Amino acid sequence: MTDDELEELRQQTRGTDRIDATGDEDAGVDVEADSGSGDDAASDTGSSSSRTASDAKSPTPADDFDECLASTVGSVERGVQPKSFSASDPVLSAFFQTVYRDDEAREDVGEALVDHVDVDVEDGYTKSELVRLSVLAGVQEAAPEYYEELVETF
Amino acid sequence: MSEQLRAASFLDKGGTGKTTTVAHLGVALSERGNDVLLIDLAGKQADLAKNFGVWEDYRERIEAEDDWPNISTVFREQWTRIAKKIDDPLDELVYDTGEGPDLIPAHPGLDGLDTELNDIEEIEERYSRLEEFLDSYVSGYDVVLIDLPGSTNNISYNGLWAAQHVVVPVEAGPFEAQQAETLKSDLERISDRFDVDVELTMLVMNKTDQRTKLSEEFADEYSAAFDGVLAPHEVPRSQDVRNAAVEGRTLYAERGLSESAKRALEAFEENAEELERRLKA
């Protein structure tokens, strides 16, 4: 099993138990904490206290945000952290369920989101796809520089 | 080759003897001339591997990270791609127990797998990963027995979907009777709701103490409640079963059996014969 692709698949699917997963999550938190806790990081990126009103509308990623994101993506691909994300909002939950059940609404909302974020959808507008596209659209609209980092990671 | 017979040992409770039952029924079915595969999904402690004395070897492979692919890998969406790249994917997973059946041991990856299966939105896909694996990659076995976790989760649902026949070891007690009733009802609801035919095929009264009147009373109660499902023989409590498991073998590989162990062995043999008959029916 020396094949590169097979090795990549091994890394993605080796599996781990919850104890190791928790350890990796902790390691991720350390990276994140390091990124924002030092004086250098604050001076490089502009500390929150010196941020202007326009900066607040369009936040800028820290220098090592991309490294942290790439590291976390690896952790997710290895199955250490979950591939799904969740939000608790009863009305939004009802909204997406209703949109999904209504053929016309599903197509309308799905196509509008695809046009907005300009990404491909492979398996039609499933509930998961509708939520995913909505989140992408939201980040793109509200935090475009973070969206750029996100797109580069795909 | 005739259709592969499959059964899963399951009850939403630990300590009823599911693993011991799978081990002994597996060897009994093998002694009857079947090629038997045992699959341990019951948790990362890998008790079936311990029961057959292959745990130390497997543990060393896990520690050396020479444990891939493993049983948790077959549930991943990448499994088809992985299997295509391996000459004999099933051979990578299987251990020889030395007592007849082959074994795919449990792996620590099962611990995190349940959460990953939650990520699969479509229910049919979430619960059919094991069935797909058995249908596509597990050939050459007459019987597949699956040891499931003592709790209801995505992994146990995969086992129920794949096997569709459930063997339930229970101890003689009021809570166990209630749990078996609940399971019977749950299996009927699963079949109705998800359009799969999962049935309670055999209920085994396990670890009975034939010297007590209480045990007799529970036996009568089970007979009335599970007519046609109850295994033909109760399996008596025997310290030899536990001792043999600690030594890494079943009663079949033990010498100098006590009277209770001999009765337990006879019960496993009779129950295995009846299980085979019911699975073929």
Side-chain angles (χ1 to χ4, degrees):
Chain A
M1 293 183 203
T2 54
D3 186 299
D4 285 346
E5 190 186 353
L6 200 58
E7 177 55 25
E8 187 184 337
L9 289 165
R10 192 182 86 87
Q11 291 300 328
Q12 289 172 5
T13 63
R14 183 169 174 270
T16 186
D17 64 14
R18 288 161 203 256
I19 301 166
D20 282 346
T22 305
D24 277 30
E25 280 179 28
D26 289 346
V29 169
D30 287 345
V31 170
E32 201 169 39
D34 287 342
S35 72
S37 60
D39 291 342
D40 290 347
S43 61
D44 285 349
T45 60
S47 66
S48 58
S49 60
S50 63
R51 193 172 280 162
T52 64
S54 67
D55 286 338
K57 282 180 188 168
S58 181
T60 307
D63 284 348
D64 49 6
F65 177 84
D66 58 341
E67 290 174 23
C68 186
L69 178 60
S71 164
T72 308
V73 167
S75 184
V76 170
E77 285 179 342
R78 289 195 307 278
V80 172
Q81 295 191 50
K83 292 183 178 66
S84 63
F85 50 92
S86 62
S88 178
D89 188 310
V91 176
L92 267 180
S93 176
F95 171 77
F96 279 110
Q97 289 180 54
T98 307
V99 167
Y100 180 69
R101 283 197 295 262
D102 183 319
D103 290 347
E104 189 178 341
R106 189 172 66 237
E107 286 298 311
D108 283 350
V109 174
E111 284 179 14
L113 288 166
V114 163
D115 287 347
H116 190 84
V117 295
D118 193 24
V119 297
D120 293 330
V121 173
E122 288 182 2
D123 299 321
Y125 300 124
T126 61
K127 268 184 289 186
S128 174
E129 280 294 353
L130 290 169
V131 173
R132 187 177 76 93
L133 291 168
S134 299
V135 171
L136 284 172
V139 176
Q140 185 188 47
E141 195 67 30
E145 295 195 40
Y146 279 88
Y147 185 75
E148 290 301 316
E149 296 278 1
L150 178 59
V151 169
E152 282 177 22
T153 309
F154 274 126
Chain B
M1 189 181 123
S2 60
E3 192 178 350
Q4 188 177 76
L5 308 179
R6 298 175 187 167
S9 177
F10 180 63
L11 184 65
D12 200 343
K13 175 184 170 62
T16 62
K18 289 188 288 293
T19 300
T20 306
T21 301
V22 167
H24 285 83
L25 287 178
V27 178
L29 288 164
S30 178
E31 297 264 314
R32 291 178 51 75
N34 294 293
D35 285 319
V36 179
L37 175 66
L38 310 179
I39 301 178
D40 187 358
L41 299 177
K44 64 178 180 179
Q45 71 279 3
D47 283 345
L48 257 184
K50 291 173 187 165
N51 208 140
F52 284 107
V54 299
W55 167 243
E56 280 307 310
D57 183 26
Y58 193 51
R59 185 180 60 81
E60 285 171 12
R61 285 183 61 180
I62 291 170
E63 285 179 0
E65 299 194 4
D66 180 25
D67 57 342
W68 187 89
N70 55 65
I71 186 60
S72 73
T73 319
V74 310
F75 287 85
R76 316 275 177 185
E77 61 184 349
Q78 299 96 328
W79 170 247
T80 307
R81 284 165 60 203
I82 293 166
K84 278 182 186 166
K85 288 191 159 289
I86 299 172
D87 288 339
D88 186 351
L90 183 61
D91 189 54
E92 296 282 338
L93 302 168
V94 165
Y95 271 72
D96 179 6
T97 65
E99 292 195 45
D102 285 341
L103 167 67
I104 300 180
H107 182 272
L110 289 172
D111 193 21
L113 179 65
D114 188 56
T115 310
E116 279 204 54
L117 290 171
N118 263 336
D119 287 347
I120 303 171
E121 188 178 4
E122 298 300 325
I123 287 174
E124 189 177 337
E125 191 191 343
R126 188 191 308 156
Y127 297 147
S128 61
R129 290 274 171 96
L130 182 67
E131 185 181 20
E132 281 176 34
F133 166 68
L134 293 181
D135 289 349
S136 303
Y137 299 96
V138 180
S139 58
Y141 289 100
D142 304 308
V143 183
V144 175
L145 297 182
I146 307 165
D147 191 17
L148 294 180
S151 61
T152 304
N153 60 24
N154 292 316
I155 296 171
S156 44
Y157 265 41
N158 263 272
L160 297 176
W161 250 243
Q164 301 199 356
H165 294 276
V166 186
V167 175
V168 184
V170 290
E171 289 190 61
F175 298 134
E176 283 76 7
Q178 198 172 42
Q179 280 158 348
E181 285 279 10
T182 303
L183 175 63
K184 190 178 173 187
S185 164
D186 285 350
L187 294 179
E188 288 167 1
R189 287 171 56 222
I190 287 170
S191 296
D192 289 344
R193 177 81 187 268
F194 300 112
D195 197 24
V196 289
D197 190 16
V198 185
E199 66 169 37
L200 177 52
T201 303
M202 179 174 279
L203 188 133
V204 183
M205 283 193 64
N206 202 21
K207 305 183 196 175
T208 58
D209 186 345
Q210 292 162 335
R211 297 166 301 182
T212 66
K213 191 164 176 55
L214 187 65
S215 198
E216 269 180 43
E217 287 172 6
F218 281 122
D220 292 342
E221 194 180 320
Y222 278 113
S223 287
F226 296 97
D227 185 35
V229 177
L230 205 60
H233 289 276
E234 299 171 18
V235 180
R237 183 181 297 279
S238 171
Q239 187 61 32
D240 283 8
V241 174
R242 184 177 173 77
N243 293 343
V246 169
E247 294 298 321
R249 51 186 178 253
T250 69
L251 289 178
Y252 284 87
E254 282 285 274
R255 291 181 181 170
L257 294 178
S258 64
E259 286 305 311
S260 64
K262 285 177 186 171
R263 289 200 304 276
L265 203 55
E266 284 170 11
F268 283 125
E269 286 171 352
E270 298 282 344
N271 292 343
E273 183 179 355
E274 175 62 13
L275 178 63
E276 187 176 348
R277 191 189 68 75
R278 291 183 190 178
L279 292 177
K280 284 178 175 172

